[in-house]
Amino acid sequence: MSTTHEAGWAHAPGALRGPAWLSPPQDPNALVPLLWSSTAHKRDGDLVVGGVAVADLVAEHNTPAYVLDEDDFRARARAFRDGFAGYDVYYAAKAFISVAVARWVVEEGLHLDVCSNGELTVALRAEVDPARIEYHGNNKTHPELRRAVAVGVGRVVVDSFVEIERLAQISAELDTTQGVMIRVTPGVEAHTHEYIATAHEDQKFGFSITSGDALEAVRRVHDAPGLELLGLHCHIGSQIFDSSGFEIAAKRVLRLHARVADELGVTMPEMDLGGGFGIAYTTQDDPSDPARLASEMTAIVEHECRGLGIAVPRLSIEPGRAIVGPSVCTVYTVGTVKPVTLDGGAVRTYVSVDGGMSDNIRTALYDADYSCTIAARASQAPPVLARVVGKHCEAGDIVVRDEFLPGDIAPGDLLAVPGTGAYCRSMASNYNHALRPPVIAVRDGRARILVRRETEDDLLATDVGV
Ligand code: LLP
């Protein structure tokens, strides 16, 4: 490789240094534990997850594949349940859901947040008690709402005035009472990518607190027979590490909560502070553990409630990524390795794998960073700075923008990318008619398919020209 040098890669003429946060690994065969699920380790170069060697899994199931560490998922779910004791913890299905995962969520004592009819279908198929389901969305249709009310979801989070009307009409028609939370925008700019920040004013979600819409929504829900006003809901965004955003949001929402008590004489029993807890995709990220998050958030809320002279409402949160994100790695097979000489003579090594933006759109969509490792052999070759790309017809089809991989990386090697449990399979597409990969759970040395690989018949099933 042209970037290797006897004194190390960085001394080679024209070597690319990569981003400042990324340094060449001391041991290119070792895993960085923070980035991997808890059972993942290397055994003589073989990546082992849930007691299963990834190479064996691939021999049976092929690549690409999402490998889900069941014990890790369950442990993270329990860590939120126990860390946030006294809260209701809703797992956000949008991060990833399947029938088996919905069952694990309930078995570990969590509730479920769904934001579409499809997610509700999976939850019901898994026989999740509808009372434990919270239903989200900024544009729920009349039939969707009717189904949610008819099956008895515990909470509908309303997001617009027209939805309040629809919901009131439906609960009257069905002669029932529907629990309602009101999504409000506290006007906080979360420090995250613009597309995943959700509580500033100029976006589609929620009722603005500052404009007075939020208070008006509270009035309308309160006045509607058949709707039971349970509380306010806010979600400030995703992949957030800094509790200052939560603090400002909680203060503003609690002030509204207190104002409702003053002006309408109604004490809302609950408040939902949303999800958004960040995970480590690379060594740049330093997430908190759930118990610490809980004590910080509780302290903020209790302090504010004392100041306002109100009782602390029952709190809930909705983590998605922080539970499933680190539990999954995606395994690919390397197809080509192409050193590309850049202006100035530096060489970037493009490593193409058999998936890409169809199974992980996050790099292209949010500039997300990931890491990766070779998964089925050890290598002593000096590392090269590589870019892992997919097989789609698009230059932005990047999986891992920058990573040091062994300089002898070659076609046929397996590559594993950790941290792909959230918003990868759930946002996967059939771009270029790719077949979406399976999700395979591993535990105690056994592998179990949760979602099978798509087939060409699946692709053609909706093509009525066939
Ligand atoms: N609750 C609400 C109301 C939400 O909108 C979301 C995420 C969550 C909870 C869960 O957030 P989490 O804890 O997973 O961050 N596709 C983007 C993330 C979009 C998040 C949408 N809402 C990504 O890949 O980063």
Side-chain angles (χ1 to χ4, degrees), residues 186 188-191 236 240 242-251 300:
V188 177
E189 295 276 355
H191 296 286
I236 60 170
I240 295 168
D242 177 4
S243 67
S244 62
F246 283 117
E247 179 161 7
I248 301 168
K251 281 186 177 167
I300 291 167

Side-chain angles (χ1 to χ4, degrees), residues 25-207:
Q26 299 287 348
D27 173 2
N29 300 303
L31 301 180
V32 178
L34 182 66
L35 309 181
W36 289 85
S37 66
S38 49
T39 73
H41 61 278
K42 288 271 185 93
R43 191 175 57 205
D44 302 329
D46 268 336
L47 175 63
V48 179
V49 187
V52 178
V54 161
D56 294 341
L57 194 83
V58 169
E60 193 176 343
H61 299 284
N62 213 340
T63 54
Y66 301 102
V67 181
L68 170 48
D69 184 337
E70 179 174 347
D71 280 338
D72 184 84
F73 180 100
R74 287 178 179 273
R76 285 177 206 277
R78 283 195 299 273
F80 269 97
R81 181 197 67 196
D82 298 342
F84 281 87
Y87 287 57
D88 292 321
V89 179
Y90 287 79
Y91 170 70
K94 69 203 86 183
F96 173 72
I97 195 71
S98 73
V99 171
V101 166
R103 289 194 184 119
W104 301 351
V105 165
V106 172
E107 283 163 16
E108 300 304 343
L110 271 53
H111 302 240
L112 196 66
D113 144 6
V114 302
C115 69
S116 71
N117 209 21
E119 290 175 4
L120 180 62
T121 300
V122 175
L124 296 177
R125 191 58 72 88
E127 295 179 342
V128 176
D129 175 2
R132 297 176 79 87
I133 298 176
E134 182 163 89
Y135 197 105
H136 274 283
N138 67 302
N139 184 14
K140 311 175 195 76
T141 63
H142 196 284
E144 286 167 349
L145 282 170
R146 194 180 165 93
R147 179 186 188 208
V149 176
V151 302
V153 303
R155 284 151 189 75
V156 172
V157 184
V158 295
D159 194 281
S160 65
F161 291 119
V162 71
E163 185 185 349
I164 296 173
E165 275 170 41
R166 278 180 203 152
L167 201 57
Q169 189 194 337
I170 290 165
S171 48
E173 278 165 20
L174 297 176
D175 192 20
T176 185
T177 302
Q178 177 59 55
V180 172
M181 305 287 288
I182 297 175
R183 171 108 181 223
V184 300
T185 38
V188 177
E189 295 276 355
H191 296 286
T192 188
H193 192 283
E194 183 193 354
Y195 293 172
I196 53 177
T198 54
H200 52 295
E201 296 285 345
D202 188 4
Q203 46 83 31
K204 68 176 182 172
F205 292 109
F207 294 97

